[in-house]
Amino acid sequence: MTPSKIGVTGGAGFIGSHLCERLLAEGREVVAVDDLSHGTTANMASFMQNPGFRFHQMDCRNARELRRVFAGCDAVAHLAAEKIPRYGGALQTLESNVQGAHAACEVALSLDAPVIVTSTSDVYGNATPPFNEEDHVVIGPSTTRRWAYAVSKLYDEHIALAMAEEKGLRPAILRLFNVYGPRNHPTWWGGPVTAFAEALLDGEIMELHGDGRQVRTFTYVTDTVDGFVRALDTQDAVGEIINIGADEPITMIRLATAIQEALEIPGPLRAKLVPYEKIGGRYQDVRCRIPDTEKAARILGFDARVGLSDGLAESVAWHVERRRLMDAGSAGGSVSAA
Ligand SMILES: NC(=O)c1ccc[n+]([C@@H]2O[C@H](COP(=O)([O-])OP(=O)(O)OC[C@H]3O[C@@H](n4cnc5c(N)ncnc54)[C@H](O)[C@@H]3O)[C@@H](O)[C@H]2O)c1
């Protein structure tokens, strides 16, 4: 019942590497694939030598090769994806996410294994918070580039559910809400926590989009990974869409303040507002993004446990340590782990 060998796409990425680490710590086997477009081998350094772990650098859209390396897996977790094309790259986002999910679902079907399809809170667009899995989604116009990500993930959800109905696939769809923590990509690709921390450590000013009063909830990565593991181990998750998120809302301005405080940089707030027009792609924001977590609690027994202040402390400590290792590396030392 409980999967013992899991194929993970996007295993060298932020969330994927934490998922691999947790599964290996539980004594399970993991086969990870990643094309290293945004992930790194450093993310996997702490478990690369684990005898239960195998890594293959490859494009997960190659279904034939994916089937070969995932042979013997009794579950698949599909995380490989391109994220919000804030500054360009919508075509890559659409093609990669649509084709990647298709390949992962085909492979899971051929293995007769359940599959976790990783979706996003971005699919709700500007729905009315708190976002419930049954809600209508409110996506902006196609002329706004950022919605390409949400639409690609909605396609992934539909493909998985259609393959369930018509071919017997066993998918569980997880809609993740802003994840943060160590190993997150140190640019806007990793979202505001990492972008703000890196800006401050560079001695620069944090950029808050729009008026900075958007509301988000942030989920520490170990909590998100706990949601994945519970979904892998819960038969009742099959066929369901489930929000995985924390419910501690915060505005971007408050988040920026908290990160500056966590880095012990005295005030005033080192931030500036960036008008949406400056972002390009006819950018539109989501004003308030809060999950309804009732379904995750009911089906998975999931409850985010790491509070924002503890999670931010861990995150900024990682950013500081990452720089220390980079400096040591450039001074002749070796940079081994991230
Ligand atoms: N981080 C968040 O806040 C968040 C929120 C909602 C949903 N998600 C979803 O969670 C998943 C993981 O996101 P993440 O934050 O860890 O991002 P990430 O970029 O760190 O990880 C994604 C990984 O996929 C790899 N990849 C991309 N395309 C690939 C391909 N075609 N073949 C093989 N590997 C490929 C990248 O190299 C990267 O390592 C994604 O599906 C993302 O859409 C993340």
Side-chain angles (χ1 to χ4, degrees):
M1 197 80 212
T2 303
S4 58
K5 183 173 178 182
I6 297 100
V8 177
T9 70
F14 164 46
I15 304 169
S17 66
H18 283 276
L19 176 60
C20 293
E21 191 167 41
R22 161 90 186 256
L23 293 168
L24 290 164
E26 292 183 355
R28 312 196 210 197
E29 286 181 69
V30 173
V31 182
V33 304
D34 199 297
D35 65 1
L36 301 184
S37 55
H38 281 93
T40 63
T41 52
N43 283 346
M44 302 181 287
S46 61
F47 53 85
M48 196 62 121
Q49 302 307 325
N50 186 312
F53 183 66
R54 291 281 175 282
F55 174 68
H56 301 267
Q57 183 178 351
M58 59 168 282
D59 188 332
C60 73
R61 291 177 286 178
N62 183 342
R64 195 184 173 91
E65 184 62 6
L66 192 65
R67 174 68 178 79
R68 194 184 67 75
V69 303
F70 278 1
C73 289
D74 51 7
V76 172
H78 174 57
L79 288 89
E82 300 283 324
K83 295 195 279 187
I84 294 181
R86 202 173 261 118
Y87 302 109
L91 189 57
Q92 172 77 2
T93 296
L94 289 160
E95 289 181 348
S96 198
N97 293 358
V98 165
Q99 294 164 7
H102 215 194
C105 288
E106 286 289 357
V107 168
L109 192 62
S110 79
L111 291 166
D112 193 21
V115 58
I116 294 197
V117 173
T118 310
S119 187
T120 168
S121 55
D122 213 45
V123 302
Y124 288 106
N126 273 301
T128 306
F131 298 162
N132 181 278
E133 292 87 344
E134 296 300 315
D135 282 347
H136 284 216
V137 299
V138 184
I139 301 294
S142 306
T143 44
T144 288
R145 186 201 300 133
R146 64 97 29 93
W147 299 118
Y149 174 59
V151 168
S152 72
K153 290 285 186 174
L154 280 172
Y155 176 91
D156 295 353
E157 294 186 359
H158 275 285
I159 267 290
L161 293 172
M163 284 177 71
E165 190 178 329
E166 297 173 33
K167 296 187 175 186
L169 182 71
R170 288 178 285 149
I173 295 164
L174 302 184
R175 290 181 175 168
L176 311 187
F177 285 68
N178 292 64
V179 189
Y180 72 105
R183 299 188 200 141
N184 205 351
H185 202 275
T187 68
W188 261 109
W189 191 256
V193 173
T194 168
F196 293 171
E198 286 294 316
L200 289 174
L201 289 168
D202 279 338
E204 292 171 2
I205 301 291
M206 295 177 279
E207 295 192 343
L208 308 183
H209 297 155
D211 62 4
R213 296 185 192 284
Q214 313 87 316
V215 173
R216 297 286 184 276
T217 59
F218 289 88
T219 316
Y220 194 64
V221 64
T222 53
D223 279 333
T224 304
V225 161
D226 190 54
F228 274 85
V229 174
R230 286 171 184 271
L232 280 168
D233 293 346
T234 304
Q235 175 65 30
D236 286 350
V238 171
E240 300 291 345
I241 297 175
I242 304 175
N243 291 337
I244 298 294
D247 47 12
E248 196 181 341
I250 187 170
T251 64
M252 284 298 134
I253 291 177
R254 276 296 311 149
L255 179 75
T257 307
I259 291 171
Q260 185 167 324
E261 286 169 2
L263 282 167
E264 297 178 355
I265 298 172
L269 185 63
R270 299 177 57 78
K272 69 174 181 189
L273 299 179
V274 175
Y276 293 133
E277 308 81 75
K278 287 258 169 73
I279 300 173
R282 296 179 51 147
Y283 191 76
Q284 290 181 340
D285 211 344
V286 173
R287 292 307 301 172
C288 183
R289 177 185 284 159
I290 298 172
D292 180 336
T293 55
E294 184 276 330
K295 190 172 180 183
R298 177 167 42 86
I299 294 183
L300 303 180
F302 172 81
D303 180 28
R305 301 194 165 222
V306 181
L308 194 55
S309 61
D310 288 345
L312 288 180
E314 293 287 335
S315 303
V316 303
W318 177 79
H319 282 276
V320 170
E321 177 66 2
R322 177 180 163 275
R323 279 169 185 253
R324 194 189 64 73
L325 290 171
M326 275 168 43
D327 290 346
S330 60
S334 69
V335 180
S336 57

